[in-house]
Amino acid sequence: MRVAIDMTALLPQPTGVDNYMIQLLLHLGRVDRTNSYRVFTNYEDRQLFRRKLPRNFSLTYLSLRPRWARLLFQQILLPLAALFWRADVVFSPAFLIPLWQGRQRHLVMIHDMTFFSHPECHIPLRRSRPFQRAVKASIRRAHLVIVPSRATQKAILDLMPEISADHVRVIPLGVGDEFHPLPPQEVQTVLTRLGIPQPYILYVGTIEPRKNLPRLVESYRRLVSEHNVPEHLVLAGRLGWDYQ
């Protein structure tokens, strides 16, 4: 098969979705040396995958990072490029597919549906009606939708009852090779440097409204006051929008 992959949603500071996209592509390169892949990235990301993928992967830089440029690429240049390259499948790993599909089969990844259920936890773009309509249109028009959990699958089916359950496939996320136990002395060195007391409960993620951290902190406060739990709460993550 000939598979086109749209990687233009990548941001300069990777989020969870970005890490999914990057790791998926790198691991596809490890396991598949048969199918042909055309990977479309922003010009700013031209060094990201260079010399990291096998010969059946080719990199093309037809977009720039500004939002208007990515939209232009996604809706006009990507369908044309897939057509001229004679792609069998177009994979869009970040919510949206082109309006014009051509003859290709389209696969889209929907990571969550919280901009419908909790719009107040998202930036204005993600809670806007045009974006939400575009996501729903992508779900309807894609030949297959993949999601990371049954919760996201259920959220789609509850919001869009006209969608068949067979249309939404659950494929859990993988675990990177870097996540493994380290020698105790190495762990203790880091804990000492950061001043983290033991035992502790660790949260890892961007500090932003969508992560529901006020509820986490309030729950922890109740555990301490009502049950005298010995664990400390440690938050680790970059500062996101409205982190105050």
Side-chain angles (χ1 to χ4, degrees):
M1 286 196 305
R2 299 165 70 87
V3 182
I5 304 180
D6 179 11
M7 298 290 286
T8 57
L10 288 175
L11 299 174
Q13 189 167 16
T15 64
V17 172
D18 294 82
N19 280 308
Y20 162 80
M21 294 167 61
I22 293 169
Q23 293 301 322
L24 178 67
L25 188 59
L26 293 176
H27 283 76
L28 271 175
R30 294 185 188 181
V31 301
D32 189 354
R33 304 298 175 97
T34 303
N35 295 299
S36 297
Y37 293 88
R38 177 67 58 89
V39 181
F40 297 95
T41 71
N42 298 318
Y43 181 76
E44 293 87 342
D45 296 319
R46 60 192 180 280
Q47 302 296 334
L48 189 58
F49 300 107
R50 187 167 291 176
R51 293 188 291 274
K52 294 181 181 178
L53 295 168
R55 292 186 176 182
N56 57 319
F57 285 72
S58 60
L59 299 172
T60 303
Y61 319 108
L62 293 180
S63 180
L64 299 174
R65 180 161 288 133
R67 195 178 303 278
W68 65 266
R70 288 187 281 130
L71 181 63
L72 176 67
F73 166 79
Q74 179 189 80
Q75 297 302 325
I76 298 178
L77 296 182
L78 176 60
L80 290 175
L83 173 66
F84 286 117
W85 187 56
R86 302 195 309 275
D88 299 301
V89 177
V90 175
F91 176 37
S92 301
F95 298 104
L96 303 177
I97 69 171
L99 290 175
W100 181 62
Q101 295 174 284
R103 297 181 178 179
Q104 290 73 37
R105 309 289 283 181
H106 284 262
L107 172 67
V108 65
M109 176 68 168
I110 303 295
H111 298 269
D112 66 76
M113 296 287 282
T114 55
F115 28 77
F116 293 99
S117 59
H118 297 80
E120 72 280 1
C121 294
H122 286 271
I123 61 175
L125 172 67
R126 291 295 176 94
R127 60 176 182 257
S128 67
R129 288 187 178 181
F131 177 81
Q132 292 183 0
R133 284 198 296 264
V135 171
K136 294 173 75 172
S138 294
I139 293 172
R140 289 191 188 97
R141 302 175 76 251
H143 294 88
L144 186 65
V145 178
I146 59 175
V147 295
S149 67
R150 295 194 182 279
T152 301
Q153 181 191 48
K154 183 177 184 300
I156 292 175
L157 299 179
D158 288 347
L159 181 69
M160 305 173 67
E162 72 276 14
I163 299 296
S164 166
D166 295 336
H167 186 68
V168 185
R169 185 172 301 176
V170 178
I171 302 180
L173 303 181
V175 180
D177 296 336
E178 66 272 25
F179 295 106
H180 58 84
L182 295 173
Q185 184 54 50
E186 188 173 341
V187 172
Q188 187 57 53
T189 299
V190 176
L191 293 178
T192 301
R193 176 171 59 84
L194 296 176
I196 297 176
Q198 298 190 62
Y200 62 92
I201 301 168
L202 177 64
Y203 159 88
V204 179
T206 305
I207 311 299
E208 65 181 14
R210 189 164 65 96
K211 305 301 184 180
N212 203 14
L213 290 174
R215 180 64 58 86
L216 172 62
V217 173
E218 171 60 19
S219 300
Y220 175 71
R221 185 197 65 78
R222 292 177 59 184
L223 283 173
V224 172
S225 63
E226 299 175 14
H227 302 283
N228 197 29
V229 297
E231 290 84 5
H232 298 266
L233 177 61
V234 179
L235 308 181
R238 71 178 181 87
L239 300 180
W241 73 279
D242 203 20
Y243 68 89
Q244 298 88 344

